[in-house]
Amino acid sequence: MSLDEVALILTGELGRPIRYDSPVALEYAWHLRRRRGMPLVKVAVLTALNAGLARGNAAGVVPTLERLLGRPPREMETYVADHVHLWER
C-alpha cells in the first residue's frame, strides 16, 4: 500500500480531501537535518525509509506480525475506521 492509497482511505473516512505530497529526498533530508537537528546517520535512514514507504515497498505483511500482535493484522480501512477520532479536527 502506498501513502497515496492511505490518503485515499483517509479521504473517504473523514469526508474531506487528504493528500500525500511526496517530498524530494534532498529536501526531506535537509528538513530533518537543519530544521529538526537530527544526526546525519538518522537523516539518511529516515530519508531511505520514507522513499521506500512512498513507493509502497512495505505493502506485504510478514507472518511474524500476527505472532507479535497476538491477533491477525487488520486492513488499513478497518484501522482508520476504528481510529477516525485521531484525524478529526
Side-chain angles (χ1 to χ4, degrees):
M1 173 168 285
S2 70
L3 296 176
D4 287 324
E5 291 169 316
V6 173
L8 284 173
I9 292 168
L10 287 166
T11 294
E13 195 63 41
L14 296 172
R16 62 184 165 94
I18 304 292
R19 70 171 199 254
Y20 172 70
D21 291 328
S22 181
V24 174
L26 288 176
E27 290 174 1
Y28 183 70
W30 180 85
H31 169 76
L32 295 176
R33 178 77 172 149
R34 296 290 176 209
R35 301 253 177 157
R36 297 246 173 130
M38 289 185 183
L40 195 54
V41 172
K42 189 172 183 179
V43 168
V45 169
L46 289 175
T47 300
L49 286 173
N50 184 64
L53 288 172
R55 287 191 305 271
N57 289 352
V61 177
V62 295
T64 308
L65 184 60
E66 184 170 349
R67 196 175 77 235
L68 290 170
L69 294 173
R71 62 166 173 75
R74 293 181 283 177
E75 298 290 327
M76 180 58 89
E77 293 84 352
T78 303
Y79 174 80
V80 170
D82 289 349
H83 297 88
V84 71
H85 65 278
L86 297 173
W87 295 284
E88 291 176 337
R89 292 183 179 174

Coordinates of all heavy atoms in Angstrom, one line a residue:
M1 N 0.8 -1.2 0.0 CA 0.0 0.0 0.0 C 0.9 1.2 0.0 O 1.8 1.4 0.8 CB -0.9 0.0 1.2 CG -1.7 1.2 1.4 SD -3.0 1.0 2.7 CE -4.1 0.0 1.8
S2 N 0.6 2.1 -0.9 CA 1.4 3.4 -1.0 C 0.8 4.4 0.0 O -0.4 4.3 0.4 CB 1.4 3.9 -2.4 OG 0.1 4.4 -2.8
L3 N 1.5 5.5 0.2 CA 1.0 6.6 1.0 C -0.1 7.3 0.3 O -1.0 7.8 1.0 CB 2.1 7.5 1.5 CG 3.2 6.8 2.4 CD1 4.3 7.8 2.6 CD2 2.6 6.3 3.6
D4 N -0.2 7.3 -1.0 CA -1.3 7.9 -1.7 C -2.5 7.1 -1.5 O -3.6 7.6 -1.4 CB -1.0 7.9 -3.3 CG 0.0 9.0 -3.6 OD1 0.0 10.0 -3.0 OD2 0.9 8.7 -4.5
E5 N -2.4 5.7 -1.4 CA -3.6 4.9 -1.1 C -4.1 5.1 0.3 O -5.3 5.1 0.5 CB -3.2 3.4 -1.3 CG -3.0 3.1 -2.8 CD -2.4 1.7 -3.0 OE1 -1.4 1.3 -2.2 OE2 -2.8 1.0 -3.9
V6 N -3.2 5.3 1.2 CA -3.6 5.6 2.6 C -4.4 7.0 2.6 O -5.4 7.1 3.3 CB -2.4 5.7 3.5 CG1 -2.8 6.2 4.9 CG2 -1.7 4.3 3.6
A7 N -3.9 7.9 1.9 CA -4.6 9.2 1.8 C -6.0 9.1 1.2 O -6.9 9.7 1.7 CB -3.7 10.2 0.9
L8 N -6.2 8.2 0.3 CA -7.5 8.0 -0.3 C -8.4 7.4 0.8 O -9.6 7.7 0.8 CB -7.4 7.1 -1.5 CG -6.9 7.7 -2.8 CD1 -6.7 6.7 -3.9 CD2 -7.9 8.8 -3.3
I9 N -7.9 6.4 1.5 CA -8.7 5.8 2.6 C -9.1 6.9 3.6 O -10.3 6.9 4.1 CB -7.9 4.7 3.3 CG1 -7.8 3.5 2.3 CG2 -8.6 4.2 4.5 CD1 -6.8 2.4 2.7
L10 N -8.2 7.7 4.0 CA -8.5 8.8 5.0 C -9.5 9.8 4.4 O -10.4 10.2 5.1 CB -7.2 9.5 5.4 CG -6.2 8.7 6.3 CD1 -4.9 9.4 6.4 CD2 -6.8 8.6 7.7
T11 N -9.4 10.1 3.1 CA -10.3 11.0 2.5 C -11.7 10.4 2.6 O -12.7 11.1 2.9 CB -9.9 11.2 1.0 OG1 -8.7 11.9 1.0 CG2 -11.0 12.0 0.2
G12 N -11.9 9.1 2.3 CA -13.2 8.5 2.3 C -13.8 8.5 3.7 O -15.0 8.7 3.9
E13 N -13.0 8.2 4.7 CA -13.4 8.1 6.0 C -13.7 9.4 6.7 O -14.7 9.6 7.5 CB -12.4 7.3 6.9 CG -12.9 6.8 8.2 CD -14.1 5.8 8.1 OE1 -14.0 4.9 7.2 OE2 -15.0 5.9 8.9
L14 N -12.9 10.4 6.4 CA -13.0 11.7 7.0 C -14.0 12.7 6.3 O -14.4 13.7 6.8 CB -11.7 12.4 7.2 CG -10.7 11.7 8.1 CD1 -9.3 12.3 8.0 CD2 -11.2 11.7 9.5
G15 N -14.3 12.3 5.0 CA -15.1 13.2 4.2 C -14.5 14.5 3.9 O -15.2 15.5 3.6
R16 N -13.2 14.6 3.9 CA -12.5 15.8 3.4 C -11.2 15.3 2.7 O -10.7 14.2 2.9 CB -12.2 16.7 4.6 CG -11.3 16.1 5.6 CD -11.1 17.1 6.8 NE -10.5 16.5 8.0 CZ -9.2 16.4 8.2 NH1 -8.3 17.0 7.4 NH2 -8.8 15.8 9.3
P17 N -10.8 16.1 1.8 CA -9.6 15.7 1.0 C -8.3 15.6 1.8 O -8.0 16.5 2.5 CB -9.5 16.8 -0.1 CG -10.2 17.9 0.4 CD -11.2 17.5 1.4
I18 N -7.7 14.5 1.7 CA -6.4 14.2 2.3 C -5.4 13.8 1.2 O -5.8 13.0 0.3 CB -6.4 13.1 3.3 CG1 -7.5 13.4 4.4 CG2 -5.0 12.8 3.9 CD1 -7.1 14.5 5.3
R19 N -4.3 14.4 1.1 CA -3.3 14.0 0.0 C -2.0 13.8 0.6 O -1.6 14.4 1.7 CB -3.3 15.0 -1.1 CG -2.7 16.3 -0.8 CD -2.6 17.2 -2.0 NE -1.6 18.2 -1.8 CZ -1.9 19.5 -1.6 NH1 -3.1 19.9 -1.7 NH2 -1.0 20.4 -1.4
Y20 N -1.2 13.0 0.0 CA 0.2 12.8 0.4 C 1.1 13.5 -0.6 O 1.0 13.3 -1.8 CB 0.6 11.3 0.4 CG 2.0 11.1 0.6 CD1 2.6 11.4 1.9 CD2 2.9 10.7 -0.4 CE1 4.0 11.3 2.1 CE2 4.2 10.5 -0.2 CZ 4.8 10.8 1.0 OH 6.1 10.7 1.2
D21 N 1.8 14.5 -0.2 CA 2.8 15.2 -1.1 C 4.2 14.6 -0.8 O 4.8 14.9 0.2 CB 2.8 16.7 -0.7 CG 1.5 17.4 -1.2 OD1 0.9 16.9 -2.2 OD2 1.1 18.4 -0.5
S22 N 4.6 13.8 -1.7 CA 5.9 13.2 -1.6 C 7.0 14.2 -1.7 O 7.2 14.9 -2.7 CB 6.1 12.1 -2.7 OG 7.3 11.5 -2.6
P23 N 7.8 14.3 -0.6 CA 8.9 15.3 -0.7 C 10.1 14.8 -1.5 O 10.3 13.6 -1.7 CB 9.4 15.4 0.8 CG 9.0 14.1 1.4 CD 7.8 13.6 0.6
V24 N 10.8 15.7 -2.1 CA 12.0 15.4 -2.8 C 13.0 14.9 -1.8 O 13.1 15.5 -0.7 CB 12.5 16.6 -3.6 CG1 13.9 16.3 -4.2 CG2 11.5 17.0 -4.7
A25 N 13.7 13.8 -2.0 CA 14.6 13.2 -1.0 C 15.6 14.3 -0.4 O 15.7 14.3 0.9 CB 15.4 12.1 -1.6
L26 N 16.2 15.1 -1.2 CA 17.1 16.0 -0.7 C 16.5 17.1 0.2 O 17.0 17.5 1.2 CB 17.9 16.7 -1.8 CG 19.0 15.8 -2.5 CD1 19.6 16.6 -3.6 CD2 20.0 15.3 -1.5
E27 N 15.3 17.5 -0.2 CA 14.5 18.5 0.6 C 14.1 17.9 2.0 O 14.2 18.5 3.0 CB 13.3 19.0 -0.1 CG 13.6 19.9 -1.3 CD 12.4 20.2 -2.1 OE1 11.2 19.8 -1.7 OE2 12.5 20.9 -3.1
Y28 N 13.7 16.6 1.9 CA 13.3 15.9 3.2 C 14.5 15.8 4.1 O 14.4 16.1 5.3 CB 12.7 14.5 2.8 CG 12.2 13.8 4.0 CD1 11.1 14.2 4.7 CD2 12.9 12.6 4.4 CE1 10.6 13.4 5.7 CE2 12.4 11.9 5.5 CZ 11.3 12.3 6.1 OH 10.8 11.6 7.2
A29 N 15.6 15.4 3.5 CA 16.9 15.2 4.3 C 17.3 16.6 4.9 O 17.7 16.7 6.1 CB 18.0 14.7 3.5
W30 N 17.2 17.6 4.1 CA 17.6 19.0 4.6 C 16.6 19.4 5.8 O 17.1 19.9 6.8 CB 17.5 20.0 3.5 CG 17.8 21.4 3.9 CD1 19.1 21.9 4.0 CD2 16.9 22.4 4.4 NE1 19.0 23.2 4.5 CE2 17.7 23.5 4.7 CE3 15.5 22.4 4.6 CZ2 17.1 24.7 5.2 CZ3 15.0 23.6 5.1 CH2 15.8 24.7 5.4
H31 N 15.4 19.1 5.6 CA 14.4 19.4 6.7 C 14.8 18.7 8.0 O 14.8 19.3 9.1 CB 13.0 19.1 6.2 CG 12.0 19.1 7.3 ND1 11.5 20.3 7.8 CD2 11.4 18.1 8.1 CE1 10.6 20.0 8.8 NE2 10.6 18.7 9.0
L32 N 15.0 17.4 7.9 CA 15.4 16.7 9.1 C 16.7 17.1 9.7 O 16.8 17.2 11.0 CB 15.5 15.2 8.8 CG 14.2 14.5 8.3 CD1 14.5 13.0 7.9 CD2 13.1 14.5 9.4
R33 N 17.6 17.5 8.9 CA 19.0 17.8 9.4 C 19.0 19.3 10.0 O 19.4 19.5 11.1 CB 20.0 17.7 8.3 CG 21.4 18.1 8.7 CD 22.0 17.0 9.5 NE 23.5 17.4 9.7 CZ 24.1 17.0 10.7 NH1 23.6 16.3 11.7 NH2 25.4 17.4 10.8
R34 N 18.5 20.2 9.2 CA 18.6 21.6 9.5 C 17.5 22.1 10.5 O 17.7 22.8 11.4 CB 18.7 22.5 8.3 CG 19.9 22.3 7.4 CD 21.1 22.8 8.1 NE 22.2 22.4 7.3 CZ 23.4 22.2 7.7 NH1 23.7 22.3 9.0 NH2 24.4 21.9 6.9
R35 N 16.3 21.7 10.2 CA 15.1 22.2 10.9 C 14.9 21.4 12.2 O 14.4 21.9 13.2 CB 13.9 22.1 10.1 CG 14.0 23.0 8.8 CD 13.2 24.2 9.0 NE 13.4 25.0 7.8 CZ 12.5 25.9 7.4 NH1 11.4 26.1 8.1 NH2 12.7 26.7 6.4
R36 N 15.2 20.1 12.1 CA 15.0 19.2 13.3 C 16.3 18.9 14.0 O 16.2 18.3 15.1 CB 14.3 17.9 12.8 CG 12.9 18.1 12.2 CD 11.9 17.5 13.1 NE 10.6 17.8 12.7 CZ 9.7 16.9 12.6 NH1 10.0 15.6 12.7 NH2 8.4 17.2 12.2
G37 N 17.4 19.2 13.4 CA 18.7 18.9 14.1 C 19.1 17.5 14.3 O 19.8 17.2 15.2
M38 N 18.6 16.6 13.4 CA 18.9 15.2 13.6 C 20.3 14.9 13.1 O 20.8 15.5 12.2 CB 17.9 14.4 12.8 CG 16.5 14.3 13.3 SD 15.5 13.2 12.4 CE 13.9 13.5 13.2
P39 N 20.9 13.9 13.7 CA 22.2 13.4 13.3 C 22.2 12.9 11.8 O 21.1 12.4 11.4 CB 22.6 12.3 14.2 CG 21.6 12.4 15.4 CD 20.4 13.1 14.9
L40 N 23.3 13.0 11.1 CA 23.3 12.7 9.7 C 22.9 11.2 9.5 O 22.2 10.9 8.5 CB 24.7 12.9 9.2 CG 24.9 13.0 7.7 CD1 23.9 13.9 7.0 CD2 26.3 13.3 7.3
V41 N 23.4 10.3 10.3 CA 23.0 8.9 10.1 C 21.5 8.7 10.2 O 20.9 8.0 9.4 CB 23.8 8.0 11.1 CG1 23.3 6.6 11.1 CG2 25.3 8.1 10.9
K42 N 20.9 9.3 11.2 CA 19.4 9.2 11.3 C 18.7 9.8 10.2 O 17.7 9.2 9.7 CB 19.0 9.8 12.6 CG 17.5 9.6 13.0 CD 17.2 10.1 14.4 CE 15.8 9.7 14.7 NZ 15.4 10.2 16.1
V43 N 19.2 10.9 9.7 CA 18.6 11.5 8.5 C 18.7 10.6 7.3 O 17.7 10.4 6.6 CB 19.4 12.9 8.1 CG1 19.0 13.4 6.8 CG2 19.1 13.9 9.2
A44 N 19.8 9.9 7.1 CA 20.0 9.0 6.0 C 19.0 7.9 6.1 O 18.3 7.5 5.1 CB 21.4 8.5 5.9
V45 N 18.8 7.3 7.3 CA 17.9 6.2 7.5 C 16.5 6.6 7.2 O 15.7 5.9 6.5 CB 18.1 5.5 8.9 CG1 17.0 4.6 9.2 CG2 19.5 4.9 9.0
L46 N 16.1 7.7 7.8 CA 14.7 8.1 7.7 C 14.4 8.5 6.3 O 13.2 8.3 5.8 CB 14.4 9.3 8.6 CG 14.3 8.9 10.1 CD1 14.1 10.2 11.0 CD2 13.2 8.0 10.4
T47 N 15.3 9.1 5.6 CA 15.1 9.5 4.2 C 14.9 8.3 3.3 O 14.0 8.2 2.4 CB 16.3 10.4 3.6 OG1 16.4 11.5 4.4 CG2 16.1 10.8 2.2
A48 N 15.7 7.2 3.5 CA 15.6 6.0 2.8 C 14.3 5.3 3.1 O 13.6 4.8 2.2 CB 16.8 5.1 3.1
L49 N 13.9 5.3 4.4 CA 12.6 4.6 4.7 C 11.5 5.4 4.1 O 10.5 4.8 3.6 CB 12.5 4.6 6.3 CG 13.3 3.6 7.0 CD1 13.2 3.8 8.5 CD2 12.9 2.2 6.7
N50 N 11.5 6.7 4.2 CA 10.4 7.5 3.6 C 10.3 7.2 2.1 O 9.1 7.1 1.6 CB 10.6 9.0 3.8 CG 9.5 9.8 3.3 OD1 8.4 9.7 3.8 ND2 9.7 10.6 2.3
A51 N 11.4 7.2 1.4 CA 11.3 6.9 -0.1 C 10.7 5.5 -0.3 O 9.9 5.4 -1.2 CB 12.7 7.0 -0.6
G52 N 11.1 4.5 0.4 CA 10.5 3.2 0.2 C 9.1 3.1 0.6 O 8.3 2.5 -0.2
L53 N 8.7 3.7 1.7 CA 7.2 3.8 2.0 C 6.4 4.5 1.0 O 5.3 4.0 0.7 CB 7.1 4.4 3.4 CG 7.5 3.6 4.6 CD1 7.5 4.5 5.9 CD2 6.7 2.4 4.8
A54 N 6.9 5.6 0.5 CA 6.2 6.3 -0.5 C 5.9 5.5 -1.8 O 4.9 5.7 -2.5 CB 6.9 7.6 -0.9
R55 N 6.9 4.6 -2.1 CA 6.7 3.7 -3.3 C 5.9 2.5 -3.0 O 5.7 1.7 -3.9 CB 8.1 3.3 -3.8 CG 8.9 4.4 -4.5 CD 10.1 3.9 -5.2 NE 11.0 3.1 -4.3 CZ 12.0 3.7 -3.6 NH1 12.2 4.9 -3.6 NH2 12.7 2.9 -2.8
G56 N 5.5 2.3 -1.7 CA 4.7 1.1 -1.4 C 5.5 -0.1 -1.1 O 5.0 -1.2 -1.2
N57 N 6.8 0.0 -0.8 CA 7.7 -1.1 -0.5 C 7.3 -1.9 0.7 O 7.8 -3.0 0.9 CB 9.1 -0.6 -0.5 CG 9.7 -0.2 -1.8 OD1 9.0 -0.4 -2.8 ND2 10.9 0.4 -1.8
A58 N 6.5 -1.4 1.6 CA 6.1 -2.1 2.8 C 4.7 -2.7 2.6 O 4.0 -2.8 3.6 CB 6.2 -1.2 4.0
A59 N 4.4 -3.0 1.4 CA 3.0 -3.5 1.2 C 2.7 -4.9 1.7 O 1.6 -5.2 2.1 CB 2.7 -3.5 -0.3
G60 N 3.7 -5.7 1.8 CA 3.5 -7.1 2.3 C 3.4 -7.1 3.8 O 3.9 -6.3 4.5
V61 N 2.6 -8.1 4.3 CA 2.5 -8.3 5.7 C 3.3 -9.6 6.1 O 2.9 -10.7 5.5 CB 1.0 -8.4 6.2 CG1 0.9 -8.8 7.7 CG2 0.3 -7.2 5.8
V62 N 4.3 -9.5 6.9 CA 5.1 -10.7 7.2 C 4.3 -11.5 8.3 O 3.6 -11.0 9.1 CB 6.5 -10.3 7.8 CG1 7.3 -9.6 6.7 CG2 6.3 -9.4 9.0
P63 N 4.5 -12.9 8.2 CA 3.8 -13.7 9.2 C 4.1 -13.5 10.6 O 3.3 -13.7 11.5 CB 4.3 -15.1 8.8 CG 4.9 -15.0 7.4 CD 5.3 -13.6 7.3
T64 N 5.3 -12.9 10.9 CA 5.7 -12.5 12.2 C 4.8 -11.5 12.9 O 4.6 -11.5 14.1 CB 7.1 -12.0 12.2 OG1 8.0 -12.9 11.5 CG2 7.7 -11.8 13.6
L65 N 4.1 -10.7 12.1 CA 3.3 -9.6 12.7 C 2.1 -10.2 13.5 O 1.9 -9.7 14.6 CB 2.7 -8.8 11.5 CG 1.9 -7.6 12.0 CD1 2.7 -6.6 12.9 CD2 1.3 -6.8 10.8
E66 N 1.5 -11.2 13.1 CA 0.4 -11.8 13.8 C 0.9 -12.4 15.2 O 0.2 -12.2 16.2 CB -0.3 -12.9 13.0 CG -1.5 -13.5 13.8 CD -2.3 -14.4 12.9 OE1 -2.1 -14.5 11.7 OE2 -3.2 -15.1 13.4
R67 N 2.1 -13.0 15.1 CA 2.6 -13.5 16.4 C 3.0 -12.4 17.3 O 2.7 -12.5 18.5 CB 3.9 -14.4 16.0 CG 4.3 -15.3 17.2 CD 5.4 -16.2 16.8 NE 6.7 -15.5 16.8 CZ 7.5 -15.4 15.8 NH1 7.3 -16.0 14.7 NH2 8.6 -14.7 15.9
L68 N 3.5 -11.3 16.8 CA 3.9 -10.2 17.7 C 2.6 -9.5 18.3 O 2.6 -9.1 19.5 CB 4.7 -9.2 16.9 CG 6.1 -9.6 16.6 CD1 6.7 -8.6 15.6 CD2 7.0 -9.8 17.8
L69 N 1.6 -9.4 17.5 CA 0.4 -8.7 17.9 C -0.5 -9.6 18.8 O -1.3 -9.1 19.6 CB -0.4 -8.2 16.7 CG 0.2 -7.1 15.8 CD1 -0.7 -6.9 14.6 CD2 0.3 -5.8 16.6
G70 N -0.4 -10.9 18.6 CA -1.3 -11.8 19.3 C -2.7 -11.8 18.7 O -3.6 -12.3 19.3
R71 N -2.8 -11.3 17.4 CA -4.1 -11.3 16.7 C -3.7 -11.1 15.2 O -2.6 -10.7 14.9 CB -5.0 -10.2 17.2 CG -4.4 -8.9 17.0 CD -5.4 -7.7 17.2 NE -4.7 -6.4 17.1 CZ -4.3 -5.8 16.1 NH1 -4.4 -6.4 14.9 NH2 -3.7 -4.6 16.1
P72 N -4.7 -11.5 14.3 CA -4.4 -11.2 12.9 C -4.3 -9.7 12.6 O -4.9 -8.9 13.3 CB -5.6 -11.8 12.2 CG -6.3 -12.6 13.2 CD -5.9 -12.1 14.6
P73 N -3.5 -9.3 11.7 CA -3.4 -7.9 11.3 C -4.7 -7.5 10.7 O -5.4 -8.3 10.1 CB -2.2 -7.8 10.3 CG -2.0 -9.2 9.8 CD -2.6 -10.2 10.9
R74 N -5.0 -6.1 10.8 CA -6.2 -5.6 10.2 C -5.9 -4.9 8.9 O -4.7 -4.5 8.7 CB -6.8 -4.6 11.2 CG -7.3 -5.2 12.4 CD -8.0 -4.2 13.3 NE -6.9 -3.5 14.0 CZ -7.1 -2.5 14.8 NH1 -8.3 -2.0 15.1 NH2 -6.1 -1.9 15.4
E75 N -6.9 -4.7 8.1 CA -6.8 -3.9 6.9 C -6.7 -2.5 7.3 O -7.2 -2.0 8.3 CB -8.0 -4.1 6.0 CG -8.2 -5.5 5.5 CD -7.1 -5.9 4.5 OE1 -6.6 -5.1 3.7 OE2 -6.7 -7.1 4.5
M76 N -6.0 -1.7 6.4 CA -5.9 -0.2 6.7 C -7.3 0.4 6.9 O -7.5 1.3 7.7 CB -5.1 0.5 5.6 CG -4.9 2.0 5.9 SD -4.1 2.4 7.4 CE -2.4 2.3 7.0
E77 N -8.2 0.0 6.0 CA -9.5 0.6 6.1 C -10.2 0.4 7.5 O -10.8 1.3 8.0 CB -10.5 0.0 5.0 CG -10.1 0.4 3.6 CD -9.0 -0.5 3.0 OE1 -8.4 -1.4 3.7 OE2 -8.7 -0.4 1.8
T78 N -10.0 -0.8 8.0 CA -10.5 -1.1 9.4 C -9.8 -0.3 10.4 O -10.5 0.3 11.3 CB -10.4 -2.6 9.7 OG1 -11.0 -3.3 8.6 CG2 -11.0 -3.0 11.0
Y79 N -8.5 -0.2 10.3 CA -7.8 0.6 11.3 C -8.2 2.1 11.3 O -8.5 2.6 12.4 CB -6.3 0.5 11.0 CG -5.5 1.4 11.9 CD1 -5.2 1.1 13.2 CD2 -5.0 2.7 11.5 CE1 -4.5 1.9 14.1 CE2 -4.3 3.5 12.3 CZ -4.1 3.1 13.6 OH -3.4 4.0 14.5
V80 N -8.3 2.6 10.1 CA -8.7 4.0 10.0 C -10.2 4.2 10.6 O -10.4 5.2 11.4 CB -8.6 4.6 8.6 CG1 -9.3 5.9 8.4 CG2 -7.2 4.6 8.2
A81 N -11.1 3.3 10.2 CA -12.5 3.4 10.7 C -12.5 3.3 12.2 O -13.2 4.1 12.9 CB -13.3 2.4 10.1
D82 N -11.7 2.5 12.8 CA -11.7 2.3 14.3 C -11.0 3.4 15.0 O -11.3 3.6 16.2 CB -11.0 1.0 14.6 CG -11.7 -0.3 14.3 OD1 -12.9 -0.2 13.9 OD2 -11.1 -1.4 14.3
H83 N -10.2 4.2 14.3 CA -9.4 5.3 15.0 C -9.6 6.6 14.3 O -8.8 7.5 14.4 CB -7.9 4.9 15.0 CG -7.6 3.7 15.8 ND1 -7.7 2.4 15.2 CD2 -7.3 3.5 17.1 CE1 -7.4 1.6 16.2 NE2 -7.2 2.2 17.3
V84 N -10.8 6.8 13.7 CA -11.0 8.0 12.9 C -10.9 9.3 13.8 O -10.5 10.3 13.3 CB -12.4 8.0 12.2 CG1 -13.6 8.0 13.2 CG2 -12.5 9.0 11.1
H85 N -11.2 9.1 15.1 CA -11.1 10.3 16.0 C -9.7 10.9 16.1 O -9.5 12.0 16.4 CB -11.5 9.8 17.4 CG -10.6 8.8 18.0 ND1 -10.7 7.5 17.7 CD2 -9.6 9.0 18.9 CE1 -9.8 6.8 18.4 NE2 -9.1 7.7 19.1
L86 N -8.7 10.1 15.7 CA -7.3 10.6 15.7 C -7.0 11.6 14.7 O -6.1 12.4 14.8 CB -6.3 9.4 15.6 CG -6.3 8.4 16.7 CD1 -5.4 7.2 16.3 CD2 -5.9 9.0 18.0
W87 N -7.8 11.6 13.6 CA -7.6 12.5 12.5 C -8.7 13.6 12.4 O -8.6 14.4 11.5 CB -7.5 11.7 11.2 CG -6.3 10.9 11.1 CD1 -5.0 11.2 10.9 CD2 -6.3 9.4 11.3 NE1 -4.2 10.1 11.0 CE2 -5.0 9.0 11.2 CE3 -7.3 8.5 11.6 CZ2 -4.6 7.7 11.4 CZ3 -6.9 7.2 11.7 CH2 -5.6 6.8 11.6
E88 N -9.7 13.5 13.2 CA -10.7 14.5 13.1 C -10.2 15.9 13.7 O -9.3 15.9 14.5 CB -11.9 14.1 13.9 CG -12.7 13.0 13.3 CD -13.8 12.5 14.2 OE1 -13.8 12.7 15.4 OE2 -14.7 11.8 13.6
R89 N -10.7 16.9 13.1 CA -10.3 18.3 13.5 C -10.8 18.6 14.9 O -11.9 18.3 15.3 CB -10.7 19.3 12.5 CG -9.9 19.1 11.2 CD -10.3 20.2 10.3 NE -9.5 20.0 9.0 CZ -9.7 20.7 8.0 NH1 -10.6 21.6 7.9 NH2 -9.0 20.4 6.9

